[in-house]
Amino acid sequence: MDIIHSQDSLIIRFINVKYSDLLIISKYCFKVSVDDGELWYHTLTRELIYLSNKELNSIYSDKELNNYLQDHLFLIDNSFNEKKFVDEIKSFLNLVNKTNKGIKQFIILPTTACNARCYYCYELGRKKVSMDLKTALDVAKYIIDNAQGKIEIEWFGGEPLCNTEAIDVICKELNKNNINYSSIMVSNAYLFDEILVKKAKTDWNLKLIQITIDGSEKIYNKTKSFIYKDINAYQRVLDNIELLSKEDIRVEIRLNMDNSNVDDLNELVDLLRDRFVEYKNINIYTVLLRDFGFNINEFENKDLALDAYENLQNKLFKMGYGTKKYINNKIQVNQCMADCDESIVILPDGRLGKCEHESEDNLIGSIYSDKKDLNMLNAWKETIEIDYCKECLFYPDCIKLKKCAWNKDGCDEYSRKEMTINLKLKLLNEFHNFMEKEN
Ligand code: SF4
Ligand code: SF4
C-alpha cells in the first residue's frame, strides 16, 4: 500500500475507532482503477492510498492492512453512523470559522463594459458602468482600511482591461501604502501589449490570469465578435498569452464548451499544445457552458454533454494539462467568495457584493458605509440539502449555495456526475505526481 495524500490532521483528532469484524467499506470511499490496483480516496479524511490487486484481495485477511484501513475510516463497523460523525465535525468547523479574521480577498470590477460580444455572456443587457478615478481612490482607501495581512486582489468585469486607469490608481495607492498584495485577473487579454504586460507584472503584481478561448481561429473570432474590425483577435490573444507567460504570469486557458464547438475544441487543444509546449506556466482546462437564461447551444441531453466534457478533460490530462487542482489539505468550509467572510466584491460605483457574477442584485452594502445587509450576507450562506445528501459520497466536502446560479437546478444526478469526473481527475493528478516523484 502507498499513501499518496495523508489524512487531514484535524480530522484525525476526532477519530476513535472501535475495531470490529462486521466491516463495510465507508460510503465516503471513492475508488478509481489504475494499473494493477485501485486508488481509494476518503472524502472526509482526504486520505488517498494506492492498493495493489494483491492487497485488494486481502483487506479482510491481512491483519496489519485491515487495522490500517479501520484506523483511517476506509473500513468501518457496519453500525457506525458516518453521517452523524461528519455532521459533528462540520458543526465544529463552522464554530471555529466564525472568528473574524478580516478581509483577505477583494474582487474588484473596474468596469462592467466589455470589448467582446460573446453570444453566451450572462452580462448581456446589464448596465455598463466604469469606475471613475475618484471612486478608484476611495476603493484603495477601503482596501487599506480593511485588509488583514497579505491580501489577494482579483480583477473581474466586464473586461478589466477596458479600465486600466482605475487599476493603476488603486495599485499606485496600495503600493504607496506598502500593502502586501498580489493580484489575479479574469480577462480576454485582447488589450495587452508588451508594455502593459510589464506594467501588470511590476505595478499590479499580477500573478495569474484566466483567459477564455472558445475555439480555433475562425470560431474564436466569430464567438468573441470583438468591437474592433479587421483584426485577427485570435492571433493577437495567443501572442499576448505568450507575452504574459514569458513575464512569469501564470496563464489558465479556459475552454468554454457547448454543443457548437466540441470537435473544434479537440483540435484547438492540439494547436495550443504545439504553440505553448515550452511554457510550463500555462494550463488548459474546460468547462461546460450552462443555460443561465442566456443563449447557449445546448447538447441534446446531459449525458452527451458530460461525455464530451469527460473526453476533453481526459485528453487534456494525457497532455499534462486539465484540472491542475489537487486535493485540498483542509476540509472545505466555503463554496466560494460568496459564503466566505474573508472575501468581498467591489462594483465600479463602490457598492459591495458577495458574488462576482452579481453586479445588480443581491448586494450587501457600499464602501461608503459601515452598515452591511446582514440578511443578505446570511442568505449567501444558505446551502442546498436534499434527501440524497444522506448517502452521497460528496457529503463531507460538499457546499452548494442556494443563491449560486450554478446550482439553480438544485443538485441532480448530472451535477454529481460532473463532480465525480472532476474528483477522478484530481486523484489521477495526485497519483501521477506521486509516481513521477517515486521514479
Ligand atoms: S448537495 Fe448534492 S453533491 Fe452535495 S452532498 Fe447533497 S447530494 Fe451530494
Ligand atoms: S457564481 Fe456561484 S460559485 Fe461563482 S462566485 Fe457566485 S456564488 Fe460563488
Side-chain angles (χ1 to χ4, degrees):
M1 187 193 77
D2 286 310
I3 300 166
I4 296 159
H5 188 271
S6 313
Q7 44 181 359
D8 183 316
S9 54
L10 190 139
I11 306 291
I12 300 171
R13 291 186 226 156
F14 284 84
I15 299 176
N16 180 13
V17 174
K18 293 189 182 67
Y19 296 98
S20 156
D21 291 327
L22 298 166
L23 292 171
I24 51 168
I25 294 176
S26 163
K27 65 182 166 196
Y28 301 133
C29 173
F30 179 60
K31 300 174 190 172
V32 180
S33 295
V34 285
D35 286 347
D36 301 324
E38 276 179 3
L39 299 174
W40 281 23
Y41 175 63
H42 198 290
T43 52
L44 172 66
T45 67
R46 278 138 202 287
E47 182 166 10
L48 176 64
I49 55 173
Y50 166 80
L51 295 167
S52 65
N53 284 332
K54 194 170 160 225
E55 286 164 330
L56 286 168
N57 288 328
S58 58
I59 56 171
Y60 296 105
S61 55
D62 177 334
K63 186 95 182 109
E64 199 184 327
L65 178 61
N66 186 278
N67 281 351
Y68 184 92
L69 295 174
Q70 287 196 61
D71 282 344
H72 292 237
L73 296 186
F74 287 105
L75 291 178
I76 51 158
D77 183 284
N78 70 354
S79 65
F80 180 56
N81 187 336
E82 288 188 279
K83 179 164 182 299
K84 190 164 163 257
F85 181 63
V86 170
D87 285 338
E88 283 164 9
I89 292 176
K90 281 186 169 180
S91 311
F92 172 78
L93 288 176
N94 280 335
L95 270 181
V96 172
N97 276 291
K98 278 214 168 95
T99 50
N100 187 2
K101 299 188 191 106
I103 303 178
K104 299 228 176 278
Q105 187 193 34
F106 296 83
I107 299 99
I108 304 175
L109 281 70
T111 178
T112 51
C114 185
N115 50 359
R117 298 287 179 267
C118 311
Y119 64 86
Y120 54 73
C121 181
Y122 64 89
E123 293 186 25
L124 287 176
R126 289 198 192 166
K127 258 190 262 162
K128 306 294 171 219
V129 188
S130 284
M131 192 177 282
D132 59 38
L133 301 189
K134 151 90 178 58
T135 311
L137 271 175
D138 295 338
V139 167
K141 182 172 181 324
Y142 177 81
I143 296 172
I144 293 162
D145 290 347
N146 289 279
Q148 289 285 327
K150 182 167 192 316
I151 58 163
E152 179 185 270
I153 294 185
E154 177 187 320
W155 306 107
F156 195 74
E159 167 51 47
L161 297 180
C162 286
N163 190 3
T164 52
E165 294 83 359
I167 300 178
D168 282 340
V169 168
I170 294 169
C171 289
K172 200 170 155 203
E173 285 304 298
L174 298 185
N175 294 337
K176 207 164 80 189
N177 286 276
N178 295 320
I179 297 296
N180 186 3
Y181 75 98
S182 60
S183 75
I184 63 175
M185 182 180 280
V186 179
S187 164
N188 58 44
Y190 179 94
L191 289 170
F192 273 117
D193 56 23
E194 222 168 318
I195 295 169
L196 195 58
V197 167
K198 284 201 187 317
K199 181 195 263 191
K201 165 92 178 166
T202 52
D203 296 3
W204 305 348
N205 219 356
L206 188 68
K207 302 284 185 215
L208 182 146
I209 182 160
Q210 179 198 300
I211 300 166
T212 297
I213 312 270
D214 305 290
S216 57
E217 189 164 318
K218 217 163 140 205
I219 293 197
Y220 176 86
N221 286 339
K222 187 163 171 249
T223 305
K224 284 276 174 251
S225 291
F226 279 98
I227 55 174
Y228 320 103
K229 298 292 166 224
D230 305 325
I231 283 173
N232 188 336
Y234 174 81
Q235 288 303 343
R236 181 180 168 128
V237 168
L238 292 199
D239 289 347
N240 285 340
I241 288 175
E242 198 165 348
L243 287 176
L244 288 155
S245 179
K246 278 185 179 157
E247 278 299 329
D248 206 19
I249 295 170
R250 183 165 178 76
V251 182
E252 290 282 335
I253 301 178
R254 170 177 158 135
L255 311 175
N256 280 342
M257 177 192 280
D258 70 7
N259 196 23
S260 66
N261 65 348
V262 175
D263 295 338
D264 186 64
L265 287 185
N266 271 288
E267 286 167 28
L268 174 69
V269 295
D270 294 327
L271 293 171
L272 293 175
R273 192 254 328 264
D274 291 349
R275 165 107 196 222
F276 297 125
V277 70
E278 68 195 86
Y279 298 101
K280 299 297 169 222
N281 56 357
I282 295 180
N283 183 41
I284 310 170
Y285 69 102
T286 185
V287 296
L288 273 174
L289 278 175
R290 290 175 191 223
D291 169 19
F292 294 144
F294 47 84
N295 194 20
I296 69 160
N297 297 300
E298 294 259 29
F299 284 85
E300 237 169 84
N301 60 55
K302 289 182 177 174
D303 282 317
L304 286 176
L306 284 175
D307 282 350
Y309 173 70
E310 187 168 16
N311 287 340
L312 189 56
Q313 286 283 39
N314 281 334
K315 176 169 178 164
L316 287 164
F317 176 70
K318 284 184 189 139
M319 287 174 159
Y321 298 117
T323 174
K324 278 289 169 212
K325 287 188 179 148
Y326 298 105
I327 301 169
N328 285 340
N329 282 329
K330 297 228 168 303
I331 192 155
Q332 192 164 336
V333 286
N334 303 105
Q335 172 178 305
C336 59
M337 62 186 76
D339 59 336
C340 176
D341 291 334
E342 294 177 14
S343 303
I344 197 111
V345 177
I346 307 179
L347 297 173
D349 58 4
R351 284 176 304 157
L352 298 172
K354 286 303 293 175
C355 165
E356 61 192 7
H357 298 283
E358 298 264 359
S359 56
E360 290 178 16
D361 303 311
N362 298 315
L363 304 177
I364 55 150
S366 155
I367 57 167
Y368 299 109
S369 159
D370 288 336
K371 273 201 197 133
K372 297 240 168 66
D373 182 340
L374 294 180
N375 289 335
M376 186 53 74
L377 272 168
N378 287 332
W380 273 115
K381 292 183 182 175
E382 278 179 50
T383 53
I384 291 172
E385 277 251 22
I386 58 171
D387 258 1
Y388 191 80
C389 297
K390 291 189 200 101
E391 296 309 318
C392 181
L393 164 79
F394 294 106
Y395 183 72
D397 205 24
C398 173
I399 299 166
K400 278 179 184 268
L401 302 182
K402 272 189 198 165
K403 282 182 98 59
C404 171
W406 284 89
N407 305 328
K408 81 177 178 43
D409 297 328
C411 177
D412 61 14
E413 167 193 358
Y414 293 99
S415 77
R416 292 191 291 278
K417 270 193 189 167
E418 192 174 343
M419 288 166 85
T420 307
I421 293 168
N422 290 333
L423 177 58
K424 189 172 156 192
L425 280 170
K426 270 191 198 178
L427 303 184
L428 289 173
N429 262 335
E430 291 282 353
F431 184 55
H432 177 76
N433 263 11
F434 174 81
M435 294 305 284
E436 272 198 342
K437 269 189 219 146
E438 286 288 291
N439 297 328

